[in-house]
Amino acid sequence: MKDSEVRKKELTRLLSFHDEAYYRLGKPTISDREYDRLKVELDSLIDSDDQLDLFSGTETESNFKAFPIPPLVGDDRLEEFTSHQHLSPMLSLDNTYDETEFFDFDKRLSRVLKTDSWSYVVEPKIDGVAVSLTYENGNLTKAATRGNGIEGDVITQNILHIKDLPRKILSNDFPDLIEVRGEIFMEHDEFERINQERRSLGLDLYANPRNLTAGTVKLLDPREASKRMLKIVLYGLGACTPSGYFSSLFDFHQSLKDWGFPIVDFFSKVSSATDAWGKISELNKFRESYNYPTDGAVIKLDSLLLQELAGSTAKAPRWAIAYKFESERQQTFLEDIQLQVGRTGAITPVAYLKAVQLAGTTVSRASLHNADEIERKDIRIGDTVVVEKAGEIIPQVIGVDLTSRCKESKAFVFPSLCPCCETQLEKAEGESVWRCPNSLCSDQVKGRLEYYAARGCMNIDSLGEAVIDQLVNRSFVKDLADLYFLTKQDLLTLEGFADKSAENLLSSIEKSKEQDLWRFICGLGIKHVGTSASKDLAKAFRSIQSLMKATDEELTSIDGVGTVMANSIYLFFMDEGNQDMIAKLEEKGVNLSLGSVIDDTEMIFQGKTFVLTGSLTQYTREEAGLLIETLGGKVASSVSTKTTYLVAGPGAGSKLAKAQKLEIEILSEADFANMIMLKK
Ligand code: IVH
């Protein structure tokens, strides 16, 4: 085989690996720039007659549907989702990082269009997840991902919570059918909030807002998706009936505005490539102020007629190009690699860097993710490394400048012992994270205490990192319960403590005894159990004692609790150390229940899920719901295999049919009332 053939094969394999990582797994392992370089190299190796040109000139829907070869734009489809065939393909864009290439694009167009007067529109390239919204008679009927460009996954339910998503076109003037294209994204604050929660739960962090957005739109449970705040912005036109409804992108953009759709912040119509270049530079200055991440500018022919004349390749239109902005990179010296032990024992290697200015902030630390990542990039202490901000936020070491590597440097050896307690580290099969298995490891204890005291859990004022360090180092505190045994004398021996500060800390610890049950459950730091699961568990089990006794079946019958979480809860309470700790907390009077309005023997609906349908006469929906919850049950809005009873009043429709199909017990309102009276 020719060298170039071997390289072509290699590049094709590499690109398909990275496509899978980016589109389907939502976990890219290289930067966009590196990916683009590989793609450019492959394109240059492919002979021009290899280039597929199926969509050039005027393209009809039917020849599109008969598309005979694999698509060239990646594929995000998952088996669990319903497929939707786009009425007009969702293509990719040709990219460039180079000014000359941008002007070449303009020259190519002049040859194809055979005219020298046309307009461009310039707008931001949003680094989100592409979506196609279908509106029929002005109503949103479907939202789909790009998929393979021809067929996408239907994600309507997962994005309906987006506040700005127009369910209806707010005007009397709209086409019968229209596909509106745009991008779903997540704002930085929301990304940080979610990663912060994951960090405290000991879970892997999302690399950037784009990946988190991609993961969110593909969640199997729309209620989970609705807990993450997504946003949307719209810019593109797919199929439209009647055709000819719009004559230019400028008109289309104006209609989006009139219809009340969220649109891009920067939209400029210009009449030459030179003016477009001016706008690209202007956009680069403003883009930091937008609430979505942008990685470039998109320059498109304004006239839809000229677009049709220019045509498309199988991959991208010839009437548009993306000019990608370089994300800022800096070289700096890697002074050290240190390992951090999280509260779940996860070991995170951190790069300590010679401070460097990067995209507006001083960077002196960067996450190295895990041992595999250090090995793959062969990062060594003493190296000059290249740092970039992933998704423009989190600093990452993206590579090493090998030309300045010192000859004596040695590959970094990931320690086999915990840097804190020297216990042998462990790695579960299929995981890339090393963990310290010693739950008494003082770094883990410190992490657990910080988590327990945090605002989102028990909210213990003045119990911060520095105090916790001293309490653990001096062996005053070995577990959460020890906090409640602290005395003023103990605290006065600590650095920085006097009468007043000691009393303040003791009083906030004392106050925490009255915190809500869900906060306590959350504060225990059980792996996978975050705020919302803690609330559900508190409501369902009403006390730590019943949660401790819960069977796997009872746990998984709760919406949002899957087998992984149930197993983690089970393992936590199986641990004798944790059992002793709970006993000590109880002895000290920490609130471990929801209150005793009803004693445990009255919890007749514990672990049972009800769905109410049809009209009820004896109770209002609210009253029935409240009764069920007070007696330990749960009310769900839709029938599923997790439903225990369907209470059906007159007029019950599809829910009744579904319950019958799933052989779920159906109760009349009278049956339900009897159950409560007889408490059976
Ligand atoms: S126009 C025919 N405009 O970038 C393709 N795309 O890398 C028309 N994107 O698939 C796309 N911002 O998901 C267009 N202002 C913008 C965009 C934009 C982001 C995405 C889009 C596209 C991808 C190509």
Side-chain angles (χ1 to χ4, degrees), residues 460-463 467 471 482-492 497-513:
I460 308 181
D461 278 350
S462 41
L463 188 60
V467 179
L471 289 173
D482 289 344
L483 284 176
Y484 298 93
F485 289 84
L486 286 170
T487 63
K488 192 167 168 187
Q489 281 87 326
D490 294 336
L491 296 184
L492 287 175
F497 270 84
D499 261 12
K500 190 84 198 125
S501 42
E503 277 163 21
N504 283 347
L505 179 54
L506 286 177
S507 116
S508 32
I509 293 176
E510 187 63 24
K511 231 170 61 197
S512 73
K513 290 182 179 172

Side-chain angles (χ1 to χ4, degrees), residues 23 73 89-95 122-131 146 181-183 233-237 264 295-300 312 315-317 319-320 322 324:
Y23 289 107
V73 293
M90 284 183 87
L91 297 181
S92 184
L93 281 170
D94 283 334
N95 283 335
V122 180
E123 57 189 36
K125 182 171 189 316
I126 300 125
D127 191 15
V129 173
V131 67
R146 183 166 72 167
R181 300 304 165 50
E183 217 77 7
V233 62
L234 299 151
Y235 53 73
L237 176 61
V264 286
D295 57 356
V298 187
I299 305 91
K300 310 173 186 174
S312 305
K315 196 189 100 198
W319 44 261
K324 298 270 264 289

Side-chain angles (χ1 to χ4, degrees), residues 392-439:
E392 312 291 331
I393 333 174
I394 308 162
Q396 270 186 4
V397 173
I398 58 157
V400 174
D401 175 12
L402 290 174
T403 57
S404 37
R405 173 169 280 172
C406 143
K407 274 201 199 84
E408 292 77 41
S409 85
K410 290 199 182 69
F412 180 75
V413 182
F414 205 86
S416 57
L417 302 181
C418 171
C420 174
C421 67
E422 302 195 334
T423 304
Q424 184 77 38
L425 298 179
E426 291 174 356
K427 183 154 81 162
E429 218 183 286
E431 267 202 21
S432 42
V433 177
W434 285 94
R435 288 179 194 274
C436 164
N438 170 22
S439 60

Side-chain angles (χ1 to χ4, degrees), residues 235-494:
Y235 53 73
L237 176 61
C240 181
T241 313
S243 58
Y245 192 90
F246 298 105
S247 64
S248 69
L249 285 180
F250 188 85
D251 290 350
F252 171 66
H253 179 81
Q254 195 53 47
S255 291
L256 286 181
K257 212 191 273 179
D258 296 343
W259 294 342
F261 281 49
I263 46 172
V264 286
D265 294 69
F266 187 105
F267 182 85
S268 197
K269 182 172 161 179
V270 292
S271 51
S272 72
T274 315
D275 289 351
W277 183 251
K279 290 293 170 192
I280 295 171
S281 314
E282 209 175 295
L283 174 60
N284 197 12
K285 283 194 207 110
F286 291 133
R287 67 190 183 108
E288 292 286 324
S289 64
Y290 304 151
N291 63 350
Y292 39 76
T294 51
D295 57 356
V298 187
I299 305 91
K300 310 173 186 174
L301 270 182
D302 181 40
S303 153
L304 300 187
L305 204 71
L306 292 185
Q307 285 187 6
E308 206 170 309
L309 209 65
S312 305
T313 68
K315 196 189 100 198
R318 290 208 195 82
W319 44 261
I321 192 163
Y323 179 83
K324 298 270 264 289
F325 301 126
E326 291 278 3
S327 63
E328 202 188 322
R329 285 175 178 194
Q330 288 296 344
Q331 291 209 345
T332 188
F333 182 70
L334 176 62
E335 292 173 340
D336 199 5
I337 296 177
Q338 286 188 17
L339 305 183
Q340 273 177 3
V341 189
R343 70 179 174 80
T344 58
I347 310 287
T348 310
V350 178
Y352 282 71
L353 307 163
K354 181 161 182 268
V356 64
Q357 276 299 114
L358 184 66
T361 58
T362 309
V363 171
S364 53
R365 284 189 201 187
S367 165
L368 291 169
H369 302 292
N370 52 51
D372 296 351
E373 200 62 12
I374 300 179
E375 196 180 318
R376 198 173 64 80
K377 293 179 179 156
D378 188 19
I379 299 169
R380 304 180 181 190
I381 296 171
D383 273 347
T384 297
V385 291
V386 183
V387 280
E388 186 181 85
K389 280 194 183 167
E392 312 291 331
I393 333 174
I394 308 162
Q396 270 186 4
V397 173
I398 58 157
V400 174
D401 175 12
L402 290 174
T403 57
S404 37
R405 173 169 280 172
C406 143
K407 274 201 199 84
E408 292 77 41
S409 85
K410 290 199 182 69
F412 180 75
V413 182
F414 205 86
S416 57
L417 302 181
C418 171
C420 174
C421 67
E422 302 195 334
T423 304
Q424 184 77 38
L425 298 179
E426 291 174 356
K427 183 154 81 162
E429 218 183 286
E431 267 202 21
S432 42
V433 177
W434 285 94
R435 288 179 194 274
C436 164
N438 170 22
S439 60
L440 302 176
C441 166
S442 50
D443 275 0
Q444 288 189 47
V445 174
K446 287 175 187 172
R448 288 201 289 272
L449 285 162
E450 275 170 39
Y451 185 72
Y452 182 77
R455 205 177 302 158
C457 296
M458 296 295 269
N459 195 12
I460 308 181
D461 278 350
S462 41
L463 188 60
E465 198 180 328
V467 179
I468 290 174
D469 266 359
Q470 292 198 65
L471 289 173
V472 176
N473 293 347
R474 304 266 198 103
S475 302
F476 281 133
V477 176
K478 292 198 182 63
D479 67 16
L480 306 179
D482 289 344
L483 284 176
Y484 298 93
F485 289 84
L486 286 170
T487 63
K488 192 167 168 187
Q489 281 87 326
D490 294 336
L491 296 184
L492 287 175
T493 67
L494 302 184

